[in-house]
Amino acid sequence: MTDALEAKKLLIRAVECDQSGRILEAQSLYQDGIAKLMSFVSSEPDEQRRKGFLTRIKEYMDRADAIKARVNGKLMLGEVVAHISIEENDTGYDYVQLFGKYMTDKTVEILIEEPYLTQNYQYQNLIRFLELAVTNCSGFKYLRLITKQDTANVDQQRTNLGQIKADLERRNVAFHIKYEDSLHDRKIYLSNGYIIKIGRGLHFYKANNPLYSIGLTNYRYRKCLQTDVDIWRNSSTGN
């Protein structure tokens, strides 16, 4: 009964998130709950009970498909509200200056599509962004990260992301990680309707040189690589 009980817990949480508008988290919970329930049903010997479970699974799958359509709609670009061109060696572009004002207490869920998380500085950039999210977004409850698997250092990547996951969960933020090896585009979706597209993703800062100089911890003074930043407002916000 372990799978059945776990599925029940996941699906109850999915419905709660669904009803409260946390569609990213609901989508993940529906998917996990359905998978658990399918595993249980496959070993259920009673035909009538199995039919009952399959009917409920169909209902959950229909709801999960509806949420998937909503999520896809939210990720469609609407109008550009800001465009920033960062030139090679420019300074003054900390995350706070770039998009801090769009990360508000109405940002409950965040989706980050960032293909490259293999180097220490890349994890540090992710942490810097999450520090901004925790600071600015008082209602922040769910993070979904889509990235490529670091095939050369799978265990280290899982360890690093596991530490971030544990820390967020201590702050009552659920963290779902999805590995997608074909991922190329970089994008950050905020549930208050803004979409942040950066040509280089989060990783447009140069290494501080020399190391112990201004810009080591305050990235407003860190030199940048050339990139473009576009902030979009989703046209389906409020639907």
Side-chain angles (χ1 to χ4, degrees), residues 3 54 104 123 141 143 150 153 167 175 180 183 216 230:
D3 281 342
L54 289 173
T104 68
Y123 292 108
K141 293 298 181 186
L143 170 68
D150 182 3
N153 296 285
D167 183 64
F175 183 20
E180 198 170 287
L183 185 66
L216 176 61
D230 289 302

Side-chain angles (χ1 to χ4, degrees), residues 192-220:
N192 61 353
Y194 290 102
I195 299 170
I196 303 163
K197 292 177 69 74
I198 311 171
R200 293 179 180 272
L202 294 173
H203 314 313
F204 55 86
Y205 296 111
K206 290 189 172 184
N208 218 39
N209 185 22
L211 176 61
Y212 296 110
S213 59
I214 301 301
L216 176 61
T217 61
N218 188 336
Y219 278 37
R220 186 173 185 177

Side-chain angles (χ1 to χ4, degrees), residues 7-237:
K8 182 178 180 181
K9 287 165 54 178
L10 290 169
L11 291 168
I12 287 173
R13 285 174 56 203
V15 172
E16 290 173 348
C17 289
D18 189 353
Q19 292 174 343
S20 66
R22 287 157 57 181
I23 60 174
L24 288 177
E25 186 170 6
Q27 184 184 33
S28 296
L29 290 168
Y30 274 126
Q31 291 171 346
D32 293 346
I34 289 168
K36 289 283 186 182
L37 198 53
M38 289 290 287
S39 176
F40 169 75
V41 170
S42 66
S43 60
E44 172 57 55
D46 187 288
E47 183 69 20
Q48 287 301 114
R49 281 173 55 83
R50 189 161 62 248
K51 285 182 178 179
F53 280 123
L54 289 173
T55 298
R56 295 181 66 184
I57 287 172
K58 176 64 166 58
E59 293 172 356
Y60 287 127
M61 290 180 71
D62 288 346
R63 187 57 199 157
D65 286 342
I67 286 183
K68 181 179 179 180
R70 286 182 64 196
V71 170
N72 289 339
K74 295 291 186 183
L75 294 177
M76 292 179 64
L77 301 179
E79 60 174 340
V80 177
V81 297
H83 173 79
I84 304 103
S85 291
I86 301 175
E87 300 301 329
E88 192 78 10
N89 293 322
D90 272 358
T91 59
Y93 292 107
D94 193 1
Y95 296 152
V96 175
Q97 282 74 41
L98 281 173
F99 37 77
K101 67 179 180 180
Y102 305 106
M103 300 174 69
T104 68
D105 55 4
K106 293 183 179 180
T107 305
V108 178
E109 298 183 301
I110 297 175
L111 165 63
I112 301 175
E113 295 182 358
E114 176 53 67
Y116 303 109
L117 284 173
T118 61
Q119 305 298 318
N120 285 338
Y121 76 89
Q122 293 172 336
Y123 292 108
Q124 290 166 4
N125 288 338
L126 176 60
I127 288 293
R128 289 184 64 80
F129 176 83
L130 294 176
E131 287 173 343
L132 178 59
V134 170
T135 300
N136 283 22
C137 311
S138 59
F140 184 30
K141 293 298 181 186
Y142 178 79
L143 170 68
R144 181 188 299 173
L145 170 68
I146 304 177
T147 190
K148 289 183 178 181
Q149 190 170 72
D150 182 3
T151 54
N153 296 285
V154 174
D155 291 342
Q156 187 61 58
Q157 185 182 48
R158 292 189 182 278
T159 296
N160 293 348
L161 292 177
Q163 290 177 357
I164 296 171
K165 178 181 175 71
D167 183 64
L168 287 175
E169 288 178 347
R170 283 193 292 270
R171 302 172 193 279
N172 297 313
V173 178
F175 183 20
H176 180 84
I177 305 163
K178 180 181 179 183
Y179 296 101
E180 198 170 287
D181 291 338
S182 61
L183 185 66
H184 176 72
D185 291 341
R186 287 92 160 174
K187 180 167 56 188
I188 300 171
Y189 162 77
L190 309 176
S191 64
N192 61 353
Y194 290 102
I195 299 170
I196 303 163
K197 292 177 69 74
I198 311 171
R200 293 179 180 272
L202 294 173
H203 314 313
F204 55 86
Y205 296 111
K206 290 189 172 184
N208 218 39
N209 185 22
L211 176 61
Y212 296 110
S213 59
I214 301 301
L216 176 61
T217 61
N218 188 336
Y219 278 37
R220 186 173 185 177
Y221 301 102
R222 184 72 68 94
K223 289 182 179 180
C224 298
L225 297 163
Q226 189 280 326
T227 194
D228 290 308
V229 181
D230 289 302
I231 312 294
W232 297 74
R233 177 73 172 173
N234 181 272
S235 58
S236 67
T237 299

